[in-house]
Structures are given as structure tokens and as C-alpha cells.
Amino acid sequence: MKNILKSIVGCIAFCIAFSSCDKTVDEPITDAYIPASLDLGAGSWKTYILSSPTEVPIAEPKTASSAEYLAEIAALKTTISTITPENKKAIKYWGAGATYRWNEIARELSAKYNQPPASNSEGKYPVPDAANPLADPRFPFANPPYVSRALAYLSVAQYDALVSAWNYKTKYNRKAPSKNDAAVSVLLPVSDLPSYPSEDAVVAAASYTILVAMFPGEVPYLDGKLAEAKNTRLWAGMNVPSDISAGDALGKAVGAKVMAKAKTDGMAASNNQALTAGMIENAKKLGIKTPWASQETPARPPMLPNFGSVSTWNFDKAAMIKIRPSIPYLEDTKEFQDDIAELNKINKNQTREQSRIANFWADGPGSYTPPGHWHRTAANAAFDAKFSEVRMARTLALVGTALMDAGIACWDTKYYYYTPRPQQFGLKTSVGLPNFPSYTSGHSTFSSAAATVLGSIFPSKSAEFDAQALEASNSRVFGLIHYRIDCEMGLAHGKKIGDFAIARGKADGSGL
Amino acid sequence: MKLKFYLVLVGSFLGVQITKAQMPHDAIYMPKSTACLAVSYGSSSWKEYWENTLKRENLNIGTHTTQSVMPMIAAGITDKLNVIVGLPYVSTKASAGNLMGQKGLQDLSLWVKYKMFDDGGLSLHAIGGASTPVSDYVPDFLPMSIGLKSKTATGRLLANYQHKSGLYLTAHGSYSGRSKIKVDRDAYLANGKMYNTDEVALPNTTDAAIRIGYLKKAIQAEAFIERNACVSGDNIRRNDMPFPTNNMRMTIVGAYVKFQPKNIGLNARVNYVTNGLNVGQSFGYSVGLLFQINNLKF
């Protein structure tokens, strides 16, 4: 009997040991840094939406010797003395950088909302309703074009607001609290960057304004993030409240101007399904024998058929038509049969390396999509290079506008030619089939555009980014949802799109 | 004559065979220096599944089928201590849509069963098991993946009452720890949060079952009810595919028969999922060929 008890105790101990075993996963560590350069001249860099860095006025702050400022410093010391371990965790989180974190938050929201609506009992797919964002289906369906646009406006708002902030920082030149009073204890590294208005508050307010418009069901969540982002600057002794409130006002005003531009960019008409009949007619005239057809049951209307008419950032519509890829191989050509043969071979015997690549780059439903993937790559490269907030935002704005331009130009191409997916010729897929025409590959266009811009900003990593773009492009052949020609032409197209963003960056007064 | 284990290919977690359910869960032992080899074929299909609590079908999957072939060997180290090893080959397919079926060797499992107490027909057993994937299959292409690729360790207590008439009653409960897994992507959404890593933490699992049956001479027949449940985990999002972090739960009812008049025998099992969460409502069956080997030297 004793042995039985022993065994039972052993079993219970085993269970406890396993139930308490470590379930935390390792994620990259992101510590705060002093920027490699403060980019003090950024106040005159060219903005996207603001007509000038002073379009939104910010009042001159009280001087460091004023009674008001001294009272703020005294109150700040009290605030710092009462912070909790939870506050410290938040300080560490936001210390990685405001632009960096808000980009990450936007990617997370993109992933959460990246789910195609389910069909209802009548076999129809209800369209998400912005006025009722949490009903089923939720608004938005954050598909790749939607995410490319949300992240582009986010990055542009951050950049324009920061250029303006840098202008006021250098103009008013009010030092950081701890530089004015050494008795202010700080929990993050302090640079010589003037602290009025707070760059973190500027980014938080501008980002918040864009994100509540793009993800209207997330207002309570974003309220919490906004308050925390601003509070950590006080808890960490980095800013006084007047730095924060000036930054908040500037960020909100710039964000509102950027969103006003977004409202008129043509996105509202991007899902105009009435256009598809004419598009199919056009494709047939061009020689497309089997136009694209939804492979889902019930047939799902194609994703944003009119996204190609949305306003571009770095080139005009005439230039977009000029660089539109030429017609792909037609069905009865040998070249087309060769592309199909390559896919049939993979369909029969996909290697594990092929499926690995297809999975790594899939970025399908429930992910932040290829534009999110490349924003992450850009943010991490800028983080590793210890970029200032404004240079980080410039990087993301250049990459982000190139990605949105890539989405628009690629969607224009897709619906111009309206070509069939390989699944219309009996192929399976190991990654899931997107519900829109095949040619050209969105992944290839997005990836090539982003890699081209990143290669220009980080020349030493250019080959690495190009290799990633090529792998992302190949992944769509390996996953069996694109023909080789879709990917090759998408890559070439994306490079041209990226070059426009590079030209914009070369002319923005940064000298970078 | 005595068949010492059965091979269970229980219904599916959206097509994924539950490794721990492949282990023996009876009170029968191979005598010292004997072994039994079983080769079984199983098939399990579902058309409807629970997306979170919503029961639905999916016209782009149609009927999902998991098939498997599993060789398994049980050996008597002593009369009271048995070791059981199994390795299934699994394939999946969907009758509609365009998702590519997956196939391959799944997870090698090893079980040790020890009789702690046996008196007057009542016996108590401690069972420990472990499993590990033996091939580099893709675990997060659900519901087409052949498994979840986690290493597992299981502790189980089993009580059995065997009446002279041949009737018996078995009850058991288990807890399984599941290791983190690596996926091909380096970011994923789970538990309402974005993880920027290729590591995925899987929830641990529990199971419990009651079996009532008849065992005498060459014949065994049994009816059972089983409950398998993760101890935590998230739910399938609206209209999304499953993910390894899901809180998969199900109740299974079924029957098992075995006939082994000589060294060669046959067994068969049917099972049906009556309710669940984040799993398919599968109906499954398996049939097996059994070969007993005597006079083994260890």
C-alpha cells in the first residue's frame, strides 16, 4: 500500500511539474538607445501632407527658469518617486521608441483584423461596416491593400508630425528636464535633443488619430496605449507635462490633416464590384482565354477590384500606366505551359525547403500581410542602426508609401489583365489561395518595392534585402498560387516603384 | 493468447491524431518475455467542426479525412511492467477546396505501464509516456497538418476491476505536458496578441475515460466514453483556420472489439465525437492485425 501511495504522489508531482513548465516564448529584446545622430536639421525636411513644418502652430514654452517650469519639475519629481513596477515595465516597453512601437501596434491590429468575412446563409459575403466595426464581419477586413494604406498614412503622419516637432524643438530649444535639473532621476537614456514638444507625445497622438480611423473598433484599446505612451515619459523623468501636452496637440492636428487627405484618396470606391464585368471584357479583348474566377464556394467577390484607382504617393497615374507590366504569357503558348509544368512538378513533390519558404512568407489571413512584414523589417533595420525618431519615421514613410504605391499599381495590373490562378488548372496550394486575379504577384511587387527602398537607406544590407524579396517572390511559386512570370514581372515592377520613393527621399532635404 | 494493448486512433483534433490516445489504456499486460506486434489502419473524417463554440461546415474543405497506418509493439519486461512503442504514418485530405493534403511519419511514442496493485480483481496502474516527432512536418497548416509537432510527456493513473464473469470496468485520468514548437513563420497571432518569434507555446492537455467491457479467452468487447481537453489555449477566430495554440476539447464515445484465438488476431474500433471546442466532429474507425511473439530474450 505504501508503494501505491508513493506512486500516486509521484504521478501528482509529475503533473505539477508539467503544468508549471515554462510556456514563455523568446521574443527579440528591444532596449532604449541614444540615437546615432539627433538629426537636428530635420525641422526643414520636406513633409508629405503639411505645406510647411509650421503649418500647425505651437506656442513658445515657458523658460527653464520660469516659476511655471520649476513647478512642473517639482511635480515631476513627485511623480517619479511614486512609480510602480508596472509603470517601469511600461517605460521599458515604450523606451524602444515611439515610432517603432506604434508601427508594431498597427501591425498587430492589422493581423487581428485580417480575416475575410464568412458567407451567410444566403451564400453571400456581407461587407464589413465601418459604422459597426465589431459586428460580424468586423471592420476592417485588413487585407494587404488595406494594410499597405493604413501603415502608409500612419508612417506619413508620424513623419510629418516629427518634422514639425523637430522644427519647434530646435527653434525653442528647451532642454530635457534632467539637463535643467540634475536632481530629476531618469529611467531612460537622455540625449541632447530639446524636449519641447515631446517627440513621443507627437508620435503617440498622430498615430492614435490615424489608427482610430483605420481600426474604429479599437478605440478603448488605443485610448489605453495613448495614455500609457504619454505617461511613461513623465514616469521616466524624460518630459514635463507641458512637453507632453504640446506634443499631443501637434500630433493630433497633424494626424487629422493626414486623415483628411486619406478620406479623399479614392479608397471609398476601391470595392466597386460593378466594374468587374468591364474588366473581364477588357481582359478577353487582350487575349485572356480563361479570366480569373473565384475558387471559393460560394464564389467570393474579388478583393478591392478598384484599389488601382486610389491615389499614389510617389508618382502620378500617367507614370503608373507607363510602368504597368506588359501582358503575361497567354494560355496556349509554350511559355505558359512551361510555367504550369513547373507548378505541377511542385504540386506532385513539394520539398520541405519549398514549403518552409512558402510558409515563412505566406503572410495570409491572421497575419500583418506582406506590407506589415516589410514595415517590420524596416523598423528593425532602423532600430539596429539607432535611428532618431524622425529618421525612423522617414524610413518607414519612404518604405510605407512605396508599399502602398506597390499595392495600387499591382492591383491596377491584376484587374487590367484579370488572369486565372493556377488552381483554375487543377493545382492545390500549401498556403491558401488569395481571392483575386493572378498576374502580377502582390508579394513580389510589395517585396521588391520595399527592398529597393531599404537597400538605398541601408546600402550595406542591400543584397540581404534583395535576397529576401527574391525569396518572398519565389515563395508564391513554391506555395503554388502564382506562375513564375507573375513573380518575375512583379519583382521588376516593384523595383521601379521603389525607385520613385528613393527619388523622393533624395529630394527631401535630409541629405540622406 | 492475451492481447496486451490496443491501438487507438481516436477522432481528430481537426484531423490531427492525438498522440496520447495512441497509448494503451487498459489493465492487460504481456507476460514476461513476450511481445505483441500490431499493425493497424485508421480513418477519421469530419464535415462539421466547432469554430470556437460555433458548429459549422466549410464548403472550401468539404469532408476532411485523416488516414493512418501504425505499427506498434508491446513487450513484457516483467509480468507487471510493459513497454509499448508506436509510430504512425499519417495522411490528410480535403474533399473540396484547394488545400494541399499532407502526409508523413508523425510522432514516435514510448509508454511504460506498471501494475502497482492487484487484489481480488481490483488493480491500480501507473502509466508514463513520451512522444517526439520523427519527421519535419508542418504543424501550423491546420487542418491539413498531420500533427502538432510537440514533444509530449504524459502521466496517467488507471484503475480496473475485473469480474470472474469476464466483465470489467476501467477508469483513468491523465495529464500531458506539451513542449513549445517551432513554426516556419517568425510572427503569429495567438491569444489575441502578436508574437514576433517562431516559437509557439502549446497548452497542456488532460484526458479521462471510463470503459466497460467483457474480456474472456479470445474475445474482448468494450464500450467507452473519453474526454480530451486542453487546460488552456485560445479559440479559432471567426472564419479563421485552427492554430496549434487552440484550446481543443472533445468528448468521444466508441466501441472496441478484439478477437485473437491464436497468435494471430484482429481488432477494430469505432469512435464518434459528440461535442467539442475547436475540433472537428469526426467519426473514425480502425482495424488492426495482431501477432504475438513468445520467448523473447531481453
Side-chain angles (χ1 to χ4, degrees), chain A residues 164-376:
Chain A
S164 183
W166 246 248
N167 175 72
Y168 292 117
K169 277 174 181 289
T170 46
K171 181 179 175 192
Y172 297 132
N173 202 22
R174 188 165 83 179
K175 288 179 187 158
S178 61
K179 300 263 177 179
N180 283 320
D181 182 343
V184 172
S185 59
V186 293
L187 288 169
L188 291 169
V190 181
S191 74
D192 289 327
L193 187 69
S195 71
Y196 179 93
S198 158
E199 67 274 23
D200 295 77
V202 162
V203 172
S207 303
Y208 173 87
T209 307
I210 303 298
L211 293 178
V212 293
M214 296 293 179
F215 299 97
E218 295 295 316
V219 175
Y221 170 76
L222 290 165
D223 281 339
K225 286 286 181 192
L226 174 65
E228 185 185 81
K230 291 192 289 185
N231 282 332
T232 57
R233 301 303 289 179
L234 303 176
W235 298 335
M238 303 297 283
N239 287 110
V240 291
S242 58
D243 294 335
I244 302 290
S245 56
D248 187 62
L250 176 59
K252 284 207 167 112
V254 175
K257 284 174 187 286
V258 173
M259 256 337 285
K261 161 73 171 53
K263 295 267 185 232
T264 62
D265 71 355
M267 184 66 177
S270 63
N271 194 36
N272 185 357
Q273 295 289 338
L275 298 174
T276 55
M279 291 167 165
I280 293 167
E281 275 318 299
N282 177 63
K284 282 183 176 164
K285 269 185 214 149
L286 294 170
I288 308 300
K289 208 156 100 185
T290 311
W292 176 83
S294 175
Q295 297 301 293
E296 293 188 40
T297 309
R300 184 191 292 276
M303 183 186 290
L304 305 183
N306 198 32
F307 188 69
S309 70
V310 170
S311 305
T312 43
W313 289 97
N314 299 316
F315 48 81
D316 61 19
K317 289 289 166 175
M320 185 178 89
I321 305 304
K322 211 173 145 195
I323 62 166
R324 182 194 284 150
S326 57
I327 191 164
Y329 304 136
L330 296 177
E331 251 174 76
D332 30 24
T333 60
K334 181 186 178 296
E335 290 86 351
F336 181 83
Q337 293 308 323
D338 288 348
D339 278 1
I340 281 277
E342 180 184 16
L343 293 175
N344 272 316
K345 200 175 154 199
I346 297 165
N347 196 41
K348 215 168 147 189
N349 208 355
Q350 186 190 45
T351 68
R352 187 63 185 89
E353 180 63 2
Q354 286 170 335
S355 69
R356 183 195 70 74
I357 291 169
N359 293 335
F360 180 82
W361 293 101
D363 294 328
S367 80
Y368 43 48
T369 79
H373 197 137
W374 284 99
H375 270 268
R376 179 186 177 196

Side-chain angles (χ1 to χ4, degrees), chain B residues 89-127:
Chain B
Y89 180 89
V90 180
S91 72
T92 63
K93 65 181 179 192
S95 70
N98 42 47
L99 295 180
M100 185 185 261
Q102 306 283 296
K103 57 184 189 291
L105 284 173
Q106 195 213 39
D107 303 337
L108 177 71
S109 60
L110 167 75
W111 300 95
V112 177
K113 184 158 80 170
Y114 178 65
K115 191 185 287 179
M116 296 186 287
F117 171 83
D118 188 2
D119 190 28
L122 185 68
S123 61
L124 198 56
H125 312 259
I127 300 161

Side-chain angles (χ1 to χ4, degrees), chain A residues 42-50 53 159-160 163 503-504 507-510:
Chain A
S44 63
W45 292 358
K46 189 180 160 196
T47 45
Y48 283 86
I49 307 292
L50 294 183
Y159 171 77
D160 275 16
V163 168
R504 202 270 177 205
D508 68 3
S510 66

Side-chain angles (χ1 to χ4, degrees), chain B residues 218-294:
Chain B
I219 290 171
Q220 183 183 1
E222 176 186 287
F224 60 82
I225 179 163
E226 294 176 351
R227 175 74 181 165
N228 295 296
C230 293
V231 299
S232 61
D234 58 0
N235 292 312
I236 302 176
R237 291 177 296 275
R238 179 72 183 111
N239 207 36
D240 203 358
M241 288 291 126
F243 195 70
T245 56
N246 289 156
N247 184 353
M248 299 174 181
R249 297 175 170 224
M250 60 183 164
T251 304
I252 302 158
V253 295
Y256 171 79
V257 290
K258 185 198 71 189
F259 179 64
Q260 190 171 22
K262 298 262 178 193
N263 281 358
I264 293 176
L266 291 169
N267 69 359
R269 175 183 153 113
V270 291
N271 49 263
Y272 178 66
V273 174
T274 56
N275 71 70
L277 182 72
N278 303 309
V279 297
Q281 183 164 33
S282 58
F283 172 79
Y285 68 89
S286 68
V287 290
L289 258 180
L290 317 164
F291 311 93
Q292 182 161 335
I293 307 152
N294 296 321

